Amino acid sequence: MIHVESLTKKFGALTAVDSLTLDVAEGEVFGFLGPNGAGKTTTVRMLTCLIAPTDGRATIGGLTVGRDDHAIRARVGILTETPGMYDRLSAEKNLTIFAKLYGVKDVAGQVDKYLRMLGLWERRGDEAGSFSKGMRQKLAIARALLHEPKILFLDEPTSGLDPEAAKLVRDFIAELKSEGRTIFLCTHNLDEADRLCGRIGIFRTRLLTVDTPANLRRRLYGRKVVFHMKRLDPAWAEAARALPFVKEAQAVDSRLIVGLDEPEEQNPILVRRLVELGAEVQFVGELRHSLEDIYLNFIRQETGNGE
Amino acid sequence: MERILTIIDKEWAEVFKNRIVLFTVGFMPLMFTLMPLAILFFSRNSDMSGDVADLPPSFRAACGEMSAGACMQVFLVNQFLLLFMMMPLIIPVAIAAYSIVGEKTTRSLEPLLATPITTIELLTAKSLAAAIPAILATWICFAVFVIAAPIVGAAPPVVASLFNPMWSLAVFVAGPLMAIMAVNFAVIVSSRVTDPRTAEQTSAVIIVPLLGLVFGQLAGVIVLNAQLMLVVISLLVLADVGLIYLGARLFQREAILTKWK
Ligand SMILES: Nc1ncnc2c1ncn2[C@@H]1O[C@H](COP(=O)(O)OP(=O)(O)O)[C@@H](O)[C@H]1O
Ligand SMILES: [Mg+2]
């Protein structure tokens, strides 16, 4: 649905986006993860035909950026970084204006539908300026959906929201995903990317890597298993290390953390050995690295190489 | 066309909730209509042969056979109608400044530019939204003035002078051209500043050429007549073409999002 090839944007001497290449499949939620100033907004602006790339090419739903701009704008939905509402106009009026600009056939019907869906129906007559940040964001999401776009660009949809509002917005994005829309989600919230996205691209001016959240974890750290014991004898870590398939073993408090290639086959053997040595095993589980570790690792590597 | 109407409707719904804009659009026409009427009223019977001597000789010559009092009234009305022509300059500037700088500060331009509206449509809509109220106000006030002038005691030659080609050209041709010029000037200024008041005040320099005419006539350097008005109109057409070109060049998606301050 989204195909990007060597896309580059320069602002004078500054390269904001450097030769970005990626593909997003139909129905996929793609997480575009990067720190502030990484060039996420710039990328979204290029892909929604708001600014022109300096170099490279991109197609959106088969339409070419730079040639079919008008058609692309009509077909995609965008949640801009700042909601940019007309504060003196009512929520309903705000949506009506955009429904008309997008050429929606049943203007009133679509406006009603999304006001209700996002829980703004009761306040539809109130000025948008009187809304809380969370409600403005919901209104902005409604605005992006009025013309039922198959492809959605969401630029940091939960940044600046309180946890409750952020959760509502996230749940709504999950719902959009289940409707089969293709979503390009910019975020610097790792948890959000982890929960919503099928694949994540870690990006800072250049695309550092793309993979599923699970693969990102595995690639960077291998697989690890944690054994929770009632009491831990440091000698057991020694014993575990002595097994040929154990890559590493570490004692941390009352837990033993073991690096394995195939825990499915190797865990039972390890458990048996530990029990033989007198260990009382309470739980066995796979250690999940937080995405944050992975992300920081990539960003750090990048900074290390670049500077 | 549908999209242009949508934007005009939105502009009016929004901008007329702004007190400063409302004041400009409401109060100015009132003032520029009532003041000359009041002057006509108070000067209706006075013998002004003495004062007429103070009129610029060129203007006195233009009065021809008129009585001294009537000549004086025509002169006053001429001055006031020139001030009257400030309306098609000031009103669009106020509306455009608030509409464009306002959208800049609330960052509502980006979602708007993400819709399938062309920048020409958007600029046209914003220009019309600013120019139409100004043109209507000018015409309505002129109509009120023409109807009320005899009632408050203007001499028949004075009333007749309101119907001469010069004023028809001024109100019906120069007025709309001035409104268009003011809008595009305000668009250009608005792209450079971040505060609507600054935009409005800076754009207001557009009245300087008009003030030049007012003082030129007071000083007797020029006499406004149909020929001069045609020259003015030609200059306005040139200014409009130039300013529309510059305004349209600035009003591009990329420029708005990346170069405007
Ligand atoms: N209009 C512009 N002119 C110059 N530099 C810009 C402009 N817009 C963005 N940049 C720069 O490009 C880089 C990427 O910005 P942006 O795309 O907003 O990042 P993000 O959305 O990831 O925070 C930043 O260094 C920013 O300062
Ligand atoms: Mg951004």
Side-chain angles (χ1 to χ4, degrees), chain A residues 9 45 52 70 86 93, chain B residues 9 17 103 110 116 253-254:
Chain A
K9 180 72 186 181
R45 284 178 170 177
H70 194 76
Y86 296 116
K93 180 91 182 175
Chain B
D9 170 51
K17 287 195 175 155
E103 289 224 39
E110 186 167 1
R253 282 179 166 80
E254 173 126 20

Side-chain angles (χ1 to χ4, degrees), chain B residues 82-259:
Chain B
L82 272 180
L83 286 176
F84 200 80
M85 296 310 288
M86 276 170 70
M87 268 192 282
L89 291 175
I90 297 285
I91 294 175
V93 160
I95 298 177
Y98 277 87
S99 120
I100 294 170
V101 181
E103 289 224 39
K104 256 193 341 182
T105 47
T106 56
R107 312 250 190 128
S108 49
L109 270 172
E110 186 167 1
L112 197 58
L113 292 171
T115 69
I117 191 171
T118 66
T119 44
I120 294 296
E121 283 172 328
L122 185 56
L123 184 60
T124 306
K126 285 207 173 266
S127 303
L128 288 176
I132 290 171
I135 294 169
L136 283 184
T138 311
W139 289 354
I140 291 170
C141 290
F142 186 70
V144 169
F145 188 73
V146 167
I147 293 165
I151 301 172
V152 300
V158 178
V159 178
S161 81
L162 292 173
F163 288 97
N164 71 24
M166 183 197 58
W167 283 116
S168 305
L169 283 174
V171 171
F172 296 104
V173 183
L177 289 171
M178 287 161 88
I180 292 167
M181 173 175 78
V183 164
N184 282 283
F185 189 67
V187 167
I188 294 167
V189 171
S190 300
S191 75
R192 300 276 142 202
V193 302
T194 48
D195 170 51
R197 277 165 198 260
T198 317
E200 192 184 2
Q201 284 154 9
T202 312
S203 308
V205 303
I206 196 86
I207 65 169
V208 167
L210 181 67
L211 292 180
L213 284 183
V214 173
F215 289 111
Q217 185 165 262
L218 268 181
V221 183
I222 47 171
V223 176
L224 261 189
N225 53 29
Q227 281 78 15
L228 184 58
M229 194 49 72
L230 284 173
V231 174
V232 168
I233 287 171
S234 318
L235 292 176
L236 281 171
V237 169
L238 286 180
D240 279 358
V241 170
L243 287 170
I244 288 175
Y245 174 75
L246 287 178
R249 267 186 43 157
L250 273 176
F251 215 80
Q252 301 284 330
R253 282 179 166 80
E254 173 126 20
I256 293 171
L257 291 173
T258 64
K259 301 219 174 68

Side-chain angles (χ1 to χ4, degrees), chain A residues 7-307:
Chain A
L7 200 67
T8 300
K9 180 72 186 181
K10 293 185 179 157
F11 295 110
L14 179 119
T15 304
V17 175
D18 187 7
S19 199
L20 173 68
T21 298
L22 64 85
D23 275 282
V24 179
E26 185 167 356
E28 185 178 11
V29 180
F30 184 85
F32 203 49
L33 190 66
N36 275 332
K40 303 183 294 295
T41 300
T42 304
T43 304
V44 167
R45 284 178 170 177
M46 284 191 281
L47 297 181
T48 52
C49 309
L50 284 165
I51 60 178
T54 313
D55 210 347
R57 34 176 277 121
T59 61
I60 309 290
L63 299 164
T64 303
V65 169
R67 199 189 64 199
D68 313 316
D69 288 4
H70 194 76
I72 292 176
R73 286 185 204 114
R75 229 155 286 181
V76 305
I78 175 173
L79 174 73
T80 48
E81 197 166 15
T82 34
M85 285 297 150
Y86 296 116
D87 284 348
R88 292 163 183 271
L89 305 182
S90 71
E92 189 171 19
K93 180 91 182 175
N94 265 288
L95 294 188
T96 303
I97 290 165
F98 278 82
K100 286 185 181 164
L101 292 178
Y102 276 110
V104 169
K105 294 233 164 53
D106 178 15
V107 170
Q110 283 300 92
V111 169
D112 278 15
K113 172 180 166 188
Y114 282 103
L115 280 172
R116 285 180 203 277
M117 202 179 272
L118 283 147
L120 297 167
W121 179 251
E122 305 292 323
R123 306 256 333 243
R124 65 188 179 280
D126 294 359
E127 286 189 358
S130 72
F131 281 14
S132 70
K133 244 181 161 178
M135 292 176 71
R136 291 164 73 81
Q137 192 70 330
K138 286 200 276 182
L139 189 57
I141 293 174
R143 185 179 61 191
L145 293 168
L146 289 165
H147 55 303
E148 302 293 351
K150 292 235 163 54
I151 307 177
L152 264 177
F153 291 87
L154 306 176
D155 196 352
E156 309 211 2
T158 59
S159 85
L161 301 189
D162 61 62
E164 197 186 349
K167 182 175 175 344
L168 276 173
V169 167
R170 244 172 247 143
D171 291 348
F172 191 72
I173 296 172
E175 206 169 303
L176 293 174
K177 175 183 174 179
S178 69
E179 289 172 2
R181 303 193 205 239
T182 308
I183 301 177
F184 189 89
L185 175 75
C186 292
T187 182
H188 55 222
N189 183 315
L190 297 141
D191 190 41
E192 182 169 301
D194 200 5
R195 272 196 265 171
L196 292 172
C197 303
R199 284 188 309 150
I200 293 174
I202 298 182
F203 175 77
R204 181 176 190 173
T205 311
R206 291 182 296 122
L207 190 61
L208 306 179
T209 189
V210 183
D211 219 327
T212 63
N215 277 344
L216 280 175
R217 291 196 174 88
R218 199 165 310 151
R219 266 173 46 195
L220 209 61
Y221 293 101
R223 296 180 73 181
K224 286 188 179 165
V225 178
V226 201
F227 296 82
H228 293 259
M229 331 261 196
K230 230 174 169 167
R231 183 186 59 82
L232 183 74
D233 184 337
W236 300 342
E238 246 358 275
R241 244 174 258 136
L243 293 170
F245 54 80
V246 171
K247 289 160 61 181
E248 53 168 325
Q250 237 184 321
V252 180
D253 301 325
S254 64
R255 289 167 300 154
L256 183 66
I257 300 170
V258 183
L260 299 169
D261 281 331
E262 289 172 69
E264 289 78 4
E265 305 301 319
Q266 298 157 345
N267 269 350
I269 306 172
L270 197 53
V271 172
R272 203 176 309 134
R273 180 81 188 109
L274 288 169
V275 171
E276 277 169 18
L277 292 170
E280 290 175 285
V281 179
Q282 292 171 312
F283 308 101
V284 180
E286 184 158 13
L287 180 71
R288 284 172 66 88
H289 270 283
S290 76
L291 206 53
E292 188 167 9
D293 298 337
I294 299 161
Y295 169 74
L296 288 176
N297 196 301
F298 269 108
I299 297 294
R300 225 175 274 136
Q301 275 177 12
E302 171 64 11
T303 316
N305 296 342
E307 282 153 37

